[in-house]
Coordinates of all heavy atoms in Angstrom, one line a residue:
T691 N 47.4 -15.4 -20.4 CA 48.6 -16.3 -20.1 C 49.1 -16.8 -21.5 O 48.4 -16.6 -22.5 CB 48.2 -17.4 -19.2 OG1 47.4 -18.3 -19.8 CG2 47.5 -16.9 -17.9
K692 N 50.2 -17.6 -21.4 CA 50.6 -18.3 -22.6 C 50.3 -19.8 -22.5 O 50.9 -20.6 -23.2 CB 52.1 -18.1 -22.7 CG 52.5 -16.6 -23.0 CD 54.0 -16.4 -23.2 CE 54.3 -15.0 -23.6 NZ 55.8 -14.8 -23.8
E693 N 49.4 -20.2 -21.6 CA 49.1 -21.6 -21.4 C 48.3 -22.0 -22.6 O 47.3 -21.4 -23.1 CB 48.3 -21.8 -20.2 CG 49.0 -21.4 -18.9 CD 50.0 -22.5 -18.5 OE1 50.0 -23.5 -19.1 OE2 50.7 -22.2 -17.5
P694 N 48.6 -23.2 -23.2 CA 47.9 -23.7 -24.4 C 46.4 -24.0 -24.0 O 45.5 -23.9 -24.8 CB 48.6 -25.0 -24.7 CG 50.0 -24.9 -24.2 CD 49.8 -24.0 -22.9
V695 N 46.1 -24.4 -22.7 CA 44.8 -24.7 -22.3 C 43.9 -23.5 -22.4 O 42.7 -23.6 -22.6 CB 44.7 -25.3 -20.9 CG1 45.4 -26.6 -20.8 CG2 45.3 -24.3 -19.9
E696 N 44.5 -22.3 -22.2 CA 43.7 -21.1 -22.3 C 43.2 -20.8 -23.7 O 42.1 -20.5 -24.0 CB 44.5 -19.9 -21.8 CG 43.6 -18.6 -21.7 CD 44.4 -17.4 -21.2 OE1 45.6 -17.4 -21.3 OE2 43.7 -16.4 -20.8
E697 N 44.1 -21.0 -24.7 CA 43.8 -20.9 -26.1 C 42.7 -22.0 -26.5 O 41.8 -21.7 -27.3 CB 45.0 -21.0 -27.0 CG 44.7 -21.1 -28.5 CD 44.0 -19.9 -29.0 OE1 44.2 -18.7 -28.5 OE2 43.2 -20.0 -29.9
Q698 N 42.9 -23.2 -26.0 CA 42.0 -24.2 -26.3 C 40.5 -23.9 -25.8 O 39.6 -24.0 -26.6 CB 42.4 -25.5 -25.6 CG 41.4 -26.7 -25.8 CD 41.8 -27.9 -24.9 OE1 42.6 -27.7 -24.0 NE2 41.1 -29.0 -25.1
C699 N 40.4 -23.4 -24.6 CA 39.1 -23.1 -24.0 C 38.5 -21.8 -24.7 O 37.3 -21.7 -24.8 CB 39.2 -22.9 -22.5 SG 39.6 -24.5 -21.7
R700 N 39.3 -20.9 -25.1 CA 38.8 -19.7 -25.8 C 38.2 -20.1 -27.1 O 37.2 -19.5 -27.5 CB 39.9 -18.7 -26.0 CG 39.4 -17.4 -26.7 CD 40.4 -16.3 -26.8 NE 41.4 -16.7 -27.9 CZ 42.3 -15.8 -28.4 NH1 42.3 -14.6 -28.0 NH2 43.1 -16.2 -29.3
R701 N 38.8 -21.1 -27.7 CA 38.2 -21.6 -29.0 C 36.9 -22.3 -28.9 O 36.1 -22.3 -29.8 CB 39.3 -22.5 -29.7 CG 39.0 -22.9 -31.1 CD 40.1 -23.6 -31.7 NE 40.3 -24.9 -31.1 CZ 41.4 -25.2 -30.3 NH1 42.3 -24.3 -30.0 NH2 41.5 -26.4 -29.8
L702 N 36.7 -23.0 -27.7 CA 35.6 -23.9 -27.6 C 34.4 -23.3 -26.8 O 33.3 -23.4 -27.1 CB 36.0 -25.2 -26.9 CG 37.0 -26.0 -27.6 CD1 37.5 -27.2 -26.8 CD2 36.4 -26.5 -28.9
Y703 N 34.8 -22.6 -25.6 CA 33.7 -22.1 -24.7 C 33.1 -20.8 -25.3 O 33.6 -20.1 -26.1 CB 34.3 -21.8 -23.4 CG 34.6 -23.0 -22.5 CD1 35.7 -23.0 -21.7 CD2 33.8 -24.1 -22.5 CE1 36.0 -24.1 -20.9 CE2 34.0 -25.2 -21.7 CZ 35.1 -25.2 -20.9 OH 35.4 -26.3 -20.1
T704 N 31.8 -20.6 -24.8 CA 31.2 -19.3 -25.0 C 32.0 -18.2 -24.2 O 32.8 -18.6 -23.3 CB 29.8 -19.3 -24.5 OG1 29.7 -19.6 -23.1 CG2 29.0 -20.3 -25.3
L705 N 31.8 -17.0 -24.5 CA 32.5 -15.9 -23.8 C 32.3 -15.9 -22.3 O 33.2 -15.8 -21.5 CB 32.1 -14.5 -24.3 CG 32.6 -14.2 -25.7 CD1 32.0 -12.8 -26.2 CD2 34.1 -14.1 -25.7
T706 N 31.0 -16.1 -21.9 CA 30.7 -16.1 -20.4 C 31.4 -17.2 -19.7 O 32.0 -17.0 -18.6 CB 29.2 -16.3 -20.2 OG1 28.5 -15.2 -21.0 CG2 28.8 -16.2 -18.8
V707 N 31.4 -18.5 -20.2 CA 32.0 -19.6 -19.6 C 33.5 -19.5 -19.6 O 34.2 -19.9 -18.7 CB 31.5 -20.9 -20.2 CG1 32.2 -22.1 -19.5 CG2 30.0 -21.0 -20.0
F708 N 34.0 -19.0 -20.7 CA 35.5 -18.8 -20.8 C 36.0 -17.9 -19.8 O 37.1 -18.1 -19.2 CB 35.9 -18.3 -22.2 CG 37.4 -18.0 -22.3 CD1 38.3 -19.0 -22.4 CD2 37.8 -16.6 -22.4 CE1 39.7 -18.7 -22.4 CE2 39.1 -16.3 -22.4 CZ 40.1 -17.4 -22.5
K709 N 35.3 -16.8 -19.5 CA 35.7 -15.9 -18.4 C 35.8 -16.6 -17.1 O 36.7 -16.3 -16.2 CB 34.8 -14.7 -18.4 CG 34.9 -13.8 -19.6 CD 33.9 -12.6 -19.5 CE 34.0 -11.7 -20.7 NZ 33.0 -10.7 -20.8
I710 N 34.9 -17.5 -16.8 CA 34.9 -18.3 -15.6 C 36.1 -19.2 -15.5 O 36.9 -19.2 -14.5 CB 33.6 -19.1 -15.4 CG1 32.4 -18.2 -15.3 CG2 33.7 -20.0 -14.2 CD1 31.1 -19.0 -15.4
F711 N 36.4 -19.8 -16.6 CA 37.6 -20.7 -16.7 C 38.9 -19.8 -16.6 O 39.8 -20.2 -15.9 CB 37.6 -21.4 -18.1 CG 38.9 -22.2 -18.3 CD1 39.1 -23.4 -17.7 CD2 39.9 -21.6 -19.1 CE1 40.3 -24.1 -17.9 CE2 41.1 -22.3 -19.3 CZ 41.3 -23.5 -18.7
Q712 N 38.9 -18.7 -17.2 CA 40.1 -17.8 -17.2 C 40.4 -17.4 -15.8 O 41.6 -17.3 -15.4 CB 39.9 -16.7 -18.2 CG 41.2 -15.9 -18.4 CD 40.9 -14.7 -19.4 OE1 40.0 -13.9 -19.2 NE2 41.7 -14.7 -20.5

Side-chain angles (χ1 to χ4, degrees):
T691 72
K692 294 183 179 181
E693 297 284 351
V695 294
E696 186 181 19
E697 172 59 34
Q698 176 194 10
C699 291
R700 182 177 71 167
R701 188 174 66 254
L702 297 175
Y703 283 143
T704 60
L705 285 176
T706 305
V707 178
F708 173 72
K709 289 177 181 177
I710 297 173
F711 172 82
Q712 192 178 54

